[in-house]
Amino acid sequence: MTDAVGRSPRVLAISWGQMEVEGLGTGKDFMLHPGGGRAWDWSATGTRHSPGIQPEDVEELLRHGATAIVLSRGMQLQLQVDPRTLEHLDRHGITPYIAETTQAVERYNELAATQPVGGLFHSTC
């Protein structure tokens, strides 16, 4: 966790296998949302490169008040997004921004400056 005010934490640095996040320190993969975030443990929801990011992963972002969602597919675009996840977000009226990790971080930081955004970031493949 980080910011009690509800602002989404910024990603301060990204490189292969390591991210630095405002108020959270460094780690490999992160789940970020308004008010904070944590390390993203794929095993908690059964996320794997394929079929990819699970609906349960984005549900946590929504519960924390994210009105925009950024999903990273990894540095080499190996992480997929499960179609059920896209359907889940569509039911909530959210069209996610999906991109390679460095591009996803850039977009997330832009959005974090103006709105409650959530993001899932994979810093390797």
Side-chain angles (χ1 to χ4, degrees):
M1 288 293 153
T2 183
D3 187 324
V5 177
R7 187 177 58 80
S8 300
R10 293 186 29 145
V11 176
L12 303 174
I14 177 76
S15 61
W16 183 272
Q18 185 169 337
M19 295 178 63
E20 181 181 356
V21 178
E22 176 181 44
L24 298 173
T26 60
K28 180 182 167 212
D29 296 335
F30 277 94
M31 174 179 285
L32 304 177
H33 52 72
R38 63 178 176 83
W40 181 19
D41 177 7
W42 290 19
S43 67
T45 60
T47 295
R48 295 183 310 277
H49 286 105
S50 180
I53 297 170
Q54 298 295 295
E56 295 83 4
D57 294 317
V58 298
E59 181 57 33
E60 183 169 337
L61 305 178
L62 297 171
R63 280 195 315 268
H64 283 280
T67 59
I69 301 286
V70 175
L71 304 175
S72 81
R73 292 203 41 224
M75 298 287 212
Q76 297 174 334
L77 300 170
Q78 296 301 302
L79 178 59
Q80 303 300 308
V81 179
D82 189 312
R84 296 175 308 130
T85 301
L86 299 176
E87 292 166 8
H88 183 70
L89 289 171
D90 187 57
R91 283 193 299 275
H92 284 86
I94 294 176
T95 301
Y97 179 83
I98 303 169
E100 177 273 333
T101 300
T102 58
Q103 294 170 345
V105 164
E106 183 177 315
R107 182 67 178 140
Y108 170 87
N109 280 341
E110 289 170 358
L111 292 168
T114 62
Q115 62 186 288
V117 62
L120 296 170
F121 300 96
H122 179 45
S123 68
T124 58
C125 53

